[in-house]
Amino acid sequence: MDARNDMLRLLQSRKPGYSLEQPFYTDPDYFKLDMELIWYRDWLFIGHDCELPKPGSYITVQIGDYPVVLVRDQKGTINAFHNSCRHRGSRVCNAEKGMAAKLVCPYHQWTYELDGRLLFARQMADSFDKTQFGLKPVACESVGGYIFICLANDPADFAPMRAMIEPYLLPHRLSEAKVAFESTIVEKGNWKLVWENNRECYHCAGNHPELCKTFPEAPTVTGVQGADSDPEMLAHWAKCEAAGLPSRFRIDPAGQYRATRAPLLRDAVSYTMNGKRAVATKWLVHKDAVEGVDYDLAELTHVWTETNDQDRRIVEENALGILSPAYEPGPYSELHEGGVIQFVEWYASFIGPRLAEGGRPALRSVA
Ligand code: FES
Ligand SMILES: [Fe+2]
């Protein structure tokens, strides 16, 4: 049976509230289907506006088989393009990031404007029509300082997501930020294990001593249920909303995206060892902030470099254990792992119908 039908059969027979069957985490053919049916079709968070500070600033990313370049043009708009030259397909930009007045392909120097138009292709036939060979665009949206792209030719409408998350993001003025520090790690495990790990804090007390100084492990903070009746969460949101910050937990009905404002423990104001102010998440600081004066880089980054490395080890151990022929799906904790249950339900509800479409014979019998 081919992977497509096999995957559909396992999704239809899966036990709700349990982790997925082994091939969802280990099988290269399932991974290809995940890429094709989820990663190449849905909106993906790629980076921040402030990583492209000026016209000509660009960053490159690789999404599965697709090299993509994001570049700020002369008008200040951020555009995304397939990073594949319209001559013979070479990558046009090969650095992770940089500045360029024009995008020049290194192979035969076809030269593109920052808005993707082909400006120059030397010694081509007189009949050559430059207007037909611009870089192929990729759908790109910027909201509250966050950049999202979608590789699909017919991307889902971005407007509802913008409407939900923009009010949460705008107060942080992230377009006025800069990246103080950046760290990239590779986790040797299927992407769904990384996601599952991220959706719960059941593992926090046993694995993240630094994070636990400021982050509450209460399931209402990371889960998707129960927060509406947790007096501490309600008090936190009321306080934030009184200060003009939209804060309550909101989730798209289909589970595609969500927004909330999570509290920290006691009087902590940041995810740092001492709980004092730094700048949270991807270590963005105000663009005028000076290292050593306005922030201490070690204090800023320690908790999350440690936490990310701890999570990398957790995910890799999870992946190794799942490879065992003795592995079978296990039950999630309803109290702590509501976010994981929601993620797996989201995954099944999106990939299932997409597996069933696509011109292939549908599954004949359902378990
Ligand atoms: S492949 Fe880009 S100029 Fe030839
Ligand atoms: Fe973790």
Side-chain angles (χ1 to χ4, degrees):
M1 187 181 279
D2 78 1
R4 209 174 176 105
N5 278 341
D6 197 24
M7 189 190 236
L8 191 53
R9 181 180 59 78
L10 287 183
L11 280 174
Q12 287 169 335
S13 62
R14 87 195 161 85
K15 211 166 169 180
Y18 276 63
S19 59
L20 295 165
E21 294 282 354
Q22 186 184 51
F24 286 93
Y25 303 113
T26 59
D27 187 317
D29 289 334
Y30 278 45
F31 179 72
K32 274 191 204 148
L33 286 168
D34 280 356
M35 294 306 289
E36 191 186 313
L37 299 176
I38 302 270
W39 288 81
Y40 298 165
R41 288 210 195 178
D42 289 310
W43 287 97
L44 306 171
F45 166 59
I46 291 297
H48 292 97
D49 288 17
C50 64
E51 295 175 70
L52 299 156
K54 296 189 184 125
S57 303
Y58 70 85
I59 55 176
T60 60
V61 289
Q62 182 78 28
I63 314 291
D65 293 336
Y66 290 87
V68 176
V69 57
L70 291 99
V71 59
R72 194 183 283 275
D73 68 21
Q74 297 294 354
K75 291 185 197 140
T77 307
I78 295 171
N79 303 306
F81 301 106
H82 290 286
N83 188 8
S84 174
C85 182
R86 294 298 307 280
H87 178 217
R88 282 168 50 198
S90 172
R91 282 197 306 172
V92 176
C93 298
N94 50 28
E96 272 178 31
K97 61 179 78 172
M99 274 290 294
K102 309 281 179 224
L103 303 181
V104 182
C105 178
Y107 200 170
H108 312 92
Q109 292 75 50
W110 280 29
T111 302
Y112 300 89
E113 189 47 272
L114 301 177
D115 60 11
R117 280 175 299 136
L118 178 61
L119 284 178
F120 178 67
R122 64 192 159 86
Q123 295 169 0
M124 295 296 287
D126 290 345
S127 57
F128 176 69
D129 180 2
K130 288 198 307 249
T131 65
Q132 300 304 304
F133 293 91
L135 290 175
K136 289 188 178 171
V138 172
C140 181
E141 296 278 351
S142 157
V143 52
Y146 281 65
I147 307 169
F148 294 84
I149 64 166
C150 181
L151 292 164
N153 291 327
D154 54 346
D157 184 7
F158 191 80
M161 178 160 147
R162 177 183 297 284
M164 184 192 286
I165 67 176
E166 194 165 42
Y168 285 69
L169 292 173
L170 283 181
H172 297 284
R173 295 171 25 225
L174 291 179
S175 49
E176 294 171 42
K178 68 178 177 185
V179 178
F181 188 72
E182 194 175 341
S183 135
T184 303
I185 55 171
V186 175
E187 303 191 15
K188 293 181 192 147
N190 182 264
W191 66 278
K192 295 188 288 298
L193 296 179
V194 178
W195 225 285
E196 290 189 25
N197 173 252
N198 173 269
R199 296 292 79 185
E200 48 89 2
C201 216
Y202 192 26
H203 70 275
C204 290
N207 291 278
H208 297 318
E210 298 87 358
L211 182 66
C212 286
K213 286 177 189 289
T214 59
F215 191 77
E217 63 161 344
T220 47
V221 177
T222 49
V224 293
Q225 82 277 49
D228 278 336
S229 50
D230 178 338
E232 283 188 29
M233 290 301 289
L234 292 172
H236 171 70
W237 289 334
K239 191 169 131 202
C240 293
E241 297 203 340
L245 299 170
S247 299
R248 294 187 76 90
F249 182 86
R250 295 182 65 196
I251 186 163
D252 162 55
Q256 280 283 66
Y257 48 88
R258 59 191 206 165
T260 189
R261 213 170 287 284
L264 299 175
L265 287 174
R266 298 178 294 277
D267 56 353
V269 296
S270 191
Y271 290 125
T272 51
M273 292 297 282
N274 59 19
K276 292 200 183 128
R277 188 178 312 280
V279 178
T281 66
K282 198 183 172 186
W283 304 304
L284 300 182
V285 296
H286 189 273
K287 61 182 184 328
D288 300 327
V290 177
E291 185 186 342
V293 178
D294 300 305
Y295 63 94
D296 175 81
L297 196 59
E299 183 61 26
L300 182 71
T301 57
H302 183 77
V303 168
W304 278 106
T305 45
E306 290 301 311
T307 303
N308 287 342
D309 197 51
Q310 290 149 1
D311 280 326
R312 176 189 61 73
R313 286 199 293 269
I314 290 170
V315 165
E316 292 182 354
E317 285 302 322
N318 196 357
L320 288 172
I322 285 177
L323 275 174
S324 166
Y327 166 80
E328 61 181 294
Y332 296 120
S333 157
E334 281 177 28
L335 181 62
H336 281 278
E337 295 176 299
V340 187
I341 294 170
Q342 185 267 329
F343 165 69
V344 172
E345 289 300 324
W346 165 83
Y347 171 76
S349 71
F350 271 79
I351 203 163
R354 292 173 182 183
L355 283 165
E357 68 190 32
R360 298 222 187 181
L363 188 65
R364 262 163 297 191
S365 65
V366 173

